[in-house]
Amino acid sequence: MTVHKAMELMGTRFDITVVSGNEDLGYINIEEATAEILRIENMISAWNPDSETSLINKNAGIKPVKVSSELYMLIERAKQISEITDGAFDITFASMDDIWKFDGSMKNMPSPEDIRESIKNVGYEKIILNPIERTVYLSQKGMKISFGAIGKGYAADKAKEFLVSKQVLGGIINAAETSLLGGQKQLEKNG
């Protein structure tokens, strides 16, 4: 039997479907996978003032911030993707959030001066990682990081790992643009 739940997590719709021999167990697995997604959200959310990411953003241009191994590795990976894409993907683009609003609230285009000033704070190469201390330092005041789609994909991956560890027979995790599916053997092989 399949069990399904749709919910709003990380600012987007997540659909989780699992194959289970027992409906109650299927819902328990979904709830536990959801808890894993919420754990990731609480770590990486730039909107949660208590998250590690918010602490990094608050200390931009001030001091390095010691972070969990998990967040450090995610930021390190994001920087690698930025390098591979020559900056087309860049988690420091969040510095533009102050002038560009994608929630429908913008009434006017930002001024050229505001755009120039905001662009100064964008650049993945300005993220200073110290692997020995496990610290992250945004080298300029006004810099911010935000994970967007890579964060949602990471959360979906972690939820998938959890479901595989619980020997769920199969399922689908759809996090907006990111979908993971398959039976246990496929999830293990493709994950």
Side-chain angles (χ1 to χ4, degrees):
M1 92 174 10
T2 61
V3 180
H4 173 261
K5 185 171 182 184
M7 64 215 90
E8 185 80 15
L9 300 165
M10 301 180 81
T12 196
R13 180 183 164 117
F14 271 73
D15 288 288
I16 303 176
T17 304
V18 298
V19 177
S20 179
N22 175 300
E23 184 177 18
D24 290 337
L25 180 58
Y27 280 116
I28 289 168
N29 287 330
I30 289 173
E31 290 305 317
E32 291 175 334
T34 300
E36 179 65 359
I37 294 167
L38 290 170
R39 183 189 71 78
I40 301 296
E41 180 177 26
N42 287 329
M43 176 181 62
I44 69 172
S45 172
W47 304 106
N48 175 350
D50 299 323
S51 75
E52 288 183 273
T53 300
S54 288
L55 188 59
I56 293 167
N57 291 343
K58 287 176 197 166
N59 284 285
I62 299 170
K63 67 178 183 178
V65 175
K66 188 167 183 75
V67 298
S68 65
S69 298
E70 186 175 20
L71 183 60
Y72 186 89
M73 289 186 302
L74 185 59
I75 293 170
E76 187 175 52
R77 181 66 181 136
K79 275 191 74 170
Q80 291 168 349
I81 294 168
S82 295
E83 290 168 6
I84 291 167
T85 64
D86 291 324
F89 172 85
D90 190 338
I91 61 174
T92 66
F93 192 79
S95 303
M96 303 292 286
D97 286 350
D98 292 335
I99 63 166
W100 292 102
K101 305 291 182 201
F102 298 102
D103 61 2
S105 66
M106 278 185 73
K107 304 275 189 257
N108 301 308
M109 290 282 293
S111 70
E113 301 82 41
D114 287 342
I115 293 170
R116 274 192 297 280
E117 195 60 34
S118 193
I119 288 173
K120 289 180 186 177
N121 294 319
V122 175
Y124 66 90
E125 65 281 348
K126 298 172 190 173
I127 301 172
I128 311 301
L129 300 176
N130 181 329
I132 295 166
E133 298 292 322
R134 207 178 64 233
T135 59
V136 179
Y137 179 57
L138 305 181
S139 64
Q140 292 177 200
K141 248 185 174 330
M143 283 185 74
K144 292 181 192 174
I145 60 172
S146 181
F147 293 92
I150 195 174
K152 292 173 184 84
Y154 179 73
D157 281 341
K158 295 304 277 183
K160 178 195 86 173
E161 285 177 21
F162 171 81
L163 292 172
V164 168
S165 78
K166 292 293 185 178
Q167 299 179 349
V168 170
L169 300 173
I172 299 170
I173 299 171
N174 185 346
E177 301 82 28
T178 303
S179 292
L180 303 170
L181 65 137
Q184 182 180 354
K185 295 211 182 295
Q186 287 96 357
L187 288 173
E188 289 171 357
K189 189 169 40 174
N190 297 329

